Amino acid sequence: MAQEMSHKTDGKQNLYQVALKQLDYVAKLIDLDPGIHEILKYPKRELTVNFPVRMDDGSYKVFTGYRVQHNLARGPAKGGIRYHPAVTLDEVRALAMFMTWKCAVMNLPYGGAKGGVICNPKILSSAELERLTRRYTTEISIIIGPNYDIPAPDLYTNPQVMSWIMDTYSMHVGHSVPAVVTGKPMCIGGSKGRLEATGRGCMIVTLEALKHLGVRLDETTVAVQGSGNVGGAAARLLSEVGCKVIAISDSQGGIYHPKGLDIPAVLKHKSETGGIVDMKNVDVISNEELLELDCTVLLPAALESQITEENAPRIKARVVTEGANGPTNPAADRILEDRKIFLVPDILANAGGVTVSYFEWVQDLQAFFWQENEVNERLTQIMTSSFAEVLATAQKYNTDMRTAAYVLAVDRVASAGLQRGIYP
Ligand code: NAD
């Protein structure tokens, strides 16, 4: 059952075809109205733009970019923009659909969108990136806006790129419009708590999973793959609430201590030296070994396709919290389910980021900014209620948490569509 529900493509499968198969699977499960099912298969809007950019050497280069809005039944569209050489329209379509489901499962008043530009940001200068961003923003400005479609960072786009988008859009309309994009720096309307929001969300749903399974925090051990934005914050916050984080890694490898690591010291070492594996008084392990450690919680927060049919039989954790997008392969999904390992799926586990993006948009619209504790309290409230709703759906349909998250999401989007009716 879980096989049909994973994000992962297992090879070169077209991601949009995978997304459509997932939708078909859920549609059958919830006996979805065939007309609504048909509507949800297609993105509402797709914009392809070919635009020139002046390079530093004076030459011109034409780039191709996309912005796809999958569904707007629940509100304006929300979703990131990625800069990558391998971006395709089908990938952007699929990711826009995932955003529709992710916003719906969190009950945010948004539809889903995604954007991308085919480029290699690693070989572009900062000035070239700025010109590319401003021209791409201009090209897609006919469909974005605070009430239409609100972009955010994704692969190889960051707060600086969001600032250029905000500035370009604002120049067009003649006044500052911070709410056109989220993930901005604080000085132009960013939100407190945004940087650690995804890791905090992972921590909150992990605590909910442990509560559900009746596991005490002081007997919980955690292994975290990745120590970046998501993994680093999740590890620190889980250690702060009393869990023992026994392992953490980066691209060079992992470190392990059975009594628990001093996570703030590990993160300080990483920011000072760029790595963690040369820390003193710890065992060095490989990323593969980390995944198979004897621990209560495994939190993959680095790359996709880390838990596969090969290593899934050896995973010892009771809970897997998917901090990364798509860290579990479809075949591995089934193995974990058979082994009764409780998996909190990415669409729920890492949705803390988009949730605080929503808070950023709300604050920008109101021009009234919240304290960090208010952001964190509201995030906790949304993460815990979404977890409870997904769990209740899993119990109602006697299914796994990933399938349940999709059931809940598709049902919410379908209800909005049915309630609104078809225009005219
Ligand atoms: P990041 O770049 O800050 O950190 C990535 C971490 O992974 C780093 O510690 C890096 O050393 C480690 N890493 C890289 N290659 C590795 C390897 N081969 N083995 C083990 N570790 C390796 O990225 P991030 O923002 O923390 O994102 C991590 C994952 O979470 C991605 O899948 C991303 O799509 C997903 N995600 C992030 C957010 C967010 O708000 N940042 C939101 C939703 C999902």
Side-chain angles (χ1 to χ4, degrees):
M1 181 175 291
Q3 185 179 18
E4 292 84 345
M5 288 312 312
S6 177
H7 270 185
K8 271 304 298 145
T9 53
D10 266 359
K12 300 249 174 294
Q13 233 181 322
N14 177 308
L15 196 61
Y16 183 49
Q17 296 306 321
V18 175
L20 289 174
K21 261 168 99 181
Q22 289 177 343
L23 175 62
D24 291 348
Y25 179 74
V26 173
K28 218 168 171 185
L29 202 63
I30 63 174
D31 200 14
L32 184 65
D33 178 279
I36 293 285
H37 184 184
E38 191 65 11
I39 292 169
L40 293 178
K41 283 182 189 170
Y42 300 96
K44 179 183 171 71
R45 284 192 192 109
E46 310 182 332
L47 181 61
T48 299
V49 292
N50 300 302
F51 57 95
V53 176
R54 187 167 37 79
M55 310 306 282
D56 289 344
D57 65 4
S59 66
Y60 293 95
K61 207 171 158 201
V62 175
F63 291 86
T64 299
Y66 307 103
R67 185 70 185 172
V68 174
Q69 297 168 353
H70 171 252
N71 187 280
L72 306 180
R74 291 170 45 85
K78 187 94 191 81
I81 289 172
R82 56 175 54 184
Y83 288 172
H84 196 271
V87 167
T88 66
L89 180 55
D90 266 353
E91 177 193 56
V92 178
R93 284 178 175 139
L95 295 170
M97 192 190 281
F98 293 144
M99 283 308 296
T100 300
W101 310 142
K102 191 183 266 196
C103 292
V105 85
M106 303 310 289
N107 220 353
L108 306 179
Y110 285 139
K114 204 78 177 187
V117 177
I118 306 171
C119 66
N120 183 353
K122 289 184 183 162
I123 59 167
L124 294 173
S125 71
S126 173
E128 287 168 340
L129 262 183
E130 178 174 352
R131 290 194 290 273
L132 178 145
T133 301
R134 288 187 182 279
R135 182 63 188 251
Y136 169 68
T137 305
T138 302
E139 299 293 338
I140 66 167
S141 65
I142 52 175
I143 61 167
I144 66 168
N147 297 317
Y148 303 94
D149 179 355
I150 307 109
D154 192 68
L155 276 185
Y156 296 109
T157 56
N158 56 22
Q160 174 63 77
V161 172
M162 300 306 112
S163 306
W164 289 328
I165 294 175
M166 179 273 200
D167 185 70
T168 304
Y169 186 88
S170 299
M171 288 298 144
H172 288 174
V173 297
H175 59 93
S176 294
V177 188
V180 67
V181 68
T182 60
K184 300 179 296 296
M186 290 290 298
C187 59
I188 53 167
S191 177
K192 288 186 173 153
R194 174 62 186 92
L195 280 182
E196 64 167 42
T198 306
R200 182 173 288 277
C202 289
M203 177 271 283
I204 296 165
V205 293
T206 300
L207 298 193
E208 291 304 303
L210 293 169
K211 205 196 295 175
H212 168 64
L213 298 173
V215 181
R216 284 188 4 217
L217 287 189
D218 59 3
E219 60 191 26
T220 295
T221 55
V222 183
V224 182
Q225 189 193 45
S227 45
N229 189 321
V230 181
R236 182 175 56 75
L237 292 164
L238 281 163
S239 69
E240 276 175 19
V241 296
C243 300
K244 218 187 282 173
V245 179
I246 57 170
I248 190 163
S249 67
D250 67 10
S251 55
Q252 309 297 310
I255 54 173
Y256 168 74
H257 197 296
K259 294 213 163 92
L261 297 161
D262 178 350
I263 294 298
V266 172
L267 297 178
K268 185 162 177 271
H269 187 83
K270 186 180 154 99
S271 74
E272 285 169 0
T273 68
I276 57 173
V277 288
D278 60 346
M279 282 201 74
K280 301 229 161 36
N281 305 319
V282 295
D283 292 339
V284 174
I285 56 172
S286 68
N287 264 297
E288 293 72 30
E289 287 168 325
L290 180 143
L291 295 171
E292 297 172 23
L293 279 178
D294 192 357
C295 59
T296 323
V297 176
L298 175 62
L299 205 159
L303 308 172
E304 54 179 37
S305 297
Q306 295 302 293
I307 305 176
T308 64
E309 57 272 49
E310 202 274 316
N311 63 9
R314 297 190 300 276
I315 301 281
K316 297 180 190 70
R318 287 186 69 185
V319 174
V320 173
T321 303
E322 293 189 324
N325 281 320
T328 312
N329 274 356
D333 234 352
R334 234 174 337 147
I335 296 169
L336 299 185
E337 196 191 340
D338 288 347
R339 296 186 54 218
K340 306 271 178 270
I341 293 173
F342 189 88
L343 184 139
V344 189
D346 47 9
I347 188 179
L348 168 66
N350 68 32
V354 69
T355 303
V356 175
S357 268
Y358 161 57
F359 297 161
E360 180 178 334
W361 176 75
V362 168
Q363 293 169 77
D364 289 338
L365 289 176
Q366 298 179 343
F368 179 75
F369 290 86
W370 308 348
Q371 294 307 311
E372 189 157 353
N373 64 336
E374 194 174 353
V375 171
N376 292 343
E377 275 165 29
R378 289 181 189 272
L379 175 63
T380 304
Q381 189 194 339
I382 291 184
M383 295 299 307
T384 47
S385 59
S386 300
F387 179 93
E389 284 162 343
V390 173
L391 183 61
T393 308
Q395 287 162 346
K396 179 177 166 194
Y397 286 89
N398 190 24
T399 190
D400 58 284
M401 290 287 281
R402 193 189 308 281
T403 306
Y406 278 87
V407 163
L408 188 62
V410 173
D411 189 47
R412 282 183 176 156
V413 177
S415 301
L418 280 169
Q419 192 64 40
R420 287 178 60 161
I422 303 296
Y423 177 85

